[in-house]
Amino acid sequence: MKNKLVIYIKCCIALTLCLLPVNVAAKTLGAEQQVSKVKKQAKHKQRKADEFVTVRDGRFYIGDSEYRYIGTNFWYGAILGSTGQGGNRERLHRELDDMKAVGVENVRILVGGDGRDSIPSHIAPKLQVQPGVYNDTLLVGLDYVMAELEKRDMKAILYFNNAWEWSGGYGAYLDWVGFSGEVESSDGSGKKKFFSQTPVPTIDGWWEYMQYVGNFIVNDKAKALAADHVRFIVSRTNTITGKPYRDSKAIMAWEIANEPRCFINDSLHRAKFVEWIDEQSRLIKSLDPNHLVTTGSEGKHGCEEDINLFRQIHTLPCIDYACIHIWPNNWGWLGKFNQNYDADKTIAADAPDPIVDNVRIACDSTIAYIEEAYHVMNTPAEGVDKSAFRRRPVVLEEFGYPRDRFLFTPGSPTKGRDAYYKMVFTIIRDSGKIAGCNFWGWGGRANVKHTIWQRWDDYVGDPAQEEQGLNSVFAADKSTLKLIKDFSKQINK
């Protein structure tokens, strides 16, 4: 019995000694986790204290922390923030909370639409109804969405103008200065068409529209009105927070326009295009030196397919980073589908689905497009002093991919889209050749009633001239949202 007791005591001592290192290790691990948690909290506080996004050596920073992101396009944010027609603050709160829950903390927002009302394919309501005449309800809506972003520690890219018709933009400014003119007909007849106001692309033709609004770049009066709009908005004080916009931590960047182009590819228009981007960027910086400024360009595709023109506008002194947009469907990478919104794109149930089958082609073309932009922004042009060269980040701030079988219904399959998104997010995570992205666009909790938007349907990511649900990510798109959430965590870990 005594021997058994001795053996039992020895076994207990041995077991205690065996467990001791595990207990010590467990305590050590717990301490390390606590230190790590404290460091993360300190890092977060430091980021919040520094507030503004900056650029150093081709990367974004908030304080000493590198800033990379997966964001979205939320062009209608200011309208939702208003209390007038189209406004829905309850929905705005839910949408921002839903974004935050999946790691989307960067949104690209239209400051507001411009021009005459009741134009087919235009958004409504408009912010600037006449030069310098503003819808005060929408101005407060912009203030409100910015205040809500600030509460959530989210960032916005705000764009002033638009080369395309859906929010007014170029065409509105030409109309306001009384411009009229002839353009070549797209019917191949060689005849000219006269327009006393901006053509509507879905009625008068895209070719006609692009020729006509190409006159904005060379019209000093129209550009002066656009500059007045910039002055008014950048100099504004937020009525909700009481702070000037220049001091808002919710702003990442001001953007000159959505997809600015010169449209007419001759030496005069190209030179005037660069001159206008330079003037606008200098104006913004003079009013607000705290925030970044960028162009809103599509990249090479929006620079008359000239990579040197892309380089010119993105290496101007007051441009802080480069933008690119990529549209595999609109650019013909998926086959028969294109920007002819009236065409029948129905895919028969027993036919192959090019949206899924051609995703590899879309990915390869996207990678090549990104590589070229990254090279330009990180390599001095011939004859440029290397010591004076500023590397700039590249952001893919628009990209869209249709649903499988070209359906528009929230929650319908997105196998092709998910594969494409995964490729884009992987580039941000692994190579850094794009520093961030904003997918197009956020549809969230919208109740889609019509294929083509009608007043006052819920707003989705797709503007009024596009099929509603074409490129939108809805709350019902669970696989896409999971992908976004997973990669956001990986990018920001």
Side-chain angles (χ1 to χ4, degrees), residues 329-330 341 401-403 406-408 417 462 466-472 474:
N329 174 39
N330 296 356
Y341 300 114
Y401 203 90
R403 297 170 177 278
F406 216 80
L407 299 174
F408 310 130
R417 176 185 291 176
D462 310 288
E466 294 181 335
E467 296 95 341
Q468 302 295 280
L470 172 66
N471 294 299
S472 291
F474 293 102

Side-chain angles (χ1 to χ4, degrees), residues 410 446-454 456-458 460 468:
N447 178 19
V448 180
K449 296 179 180 179
H450 303 98
T451 302
I452 298 299
W453 186 77
Q454 298 180 23
W456 297 92
D457 288 353
D458 284 358
V460 300
Q468 302 295 280

Side-chain angles (χ1 to χ4, degrees), residues 398-439:
E398 274 191 27
F399 63 99
Y401 203 90
R403 297 170 177 278
D404 299 352
R405 312 201 76 78
F406 216 80
L407 299 174
F408 310 130
T409 310
S412 57
T414 53
K415 182 179 178 181
R417 176 185 291 176
D418 290 352
Y420 185 78
Y421 274 29
K422 183 177 181 180
M423 177 273 303
V424 171
F425 300 158
T426 300
I427 293 173
I428 301 173
R429 183 192 66 189
D430 296 348
S431 77
K433 291 189 175 179
I434 48 176
C437 70
N438 299 79
F439 60 85

Side-chain angles (χ1 to χ4, degrees), residues 318-331:
C318 292
I319 296 296
D320 295 298
Y321 67 94
C323 303
I324 57 173
H325 298 183
I326 298 179
W327 291 97
N329 174 39
N330 296 356
W331 296 358

Side-chain angles (χ1 to χ4, degrees), residues 55-61 314-315 319-322 374-380 386-394 431-433:
V55 172
R56 297 201 302 270
D57 195 28
R59 297 175 186 269
F60 293 125
Y61 286 88
H314 287 105
T315 54
I319 296 296
D320 295 298
Y321 67 94
Y374 177 81
H375 175 76
V376 167
M377 289 296 99
N378 287 270
T379 308
K386 291 183 179 180
S387 64
F389 179 71
R390 282 169 52 197
R391 296 177 64 218
R392 290 169 170 87
V394 178
S431 77
K433 291 189 175 179

Side-chain angles (χ1 to χ4, degrees), residues 67 104 109 162 221 229 246 253 262 270 334 347 360 374 407-408 447:
Y67 177 61
V104 171
I109 297 175
N162 199 344
K221 290 182 179 179
H229 179 51
R246 66 176 176 272
C262 55
R270 289 159 67 95
L334 302 181
I347 302 171
R360 183 68 259 168
Y374 177 81
L407 299 174
F408 310 130
N447 178 19

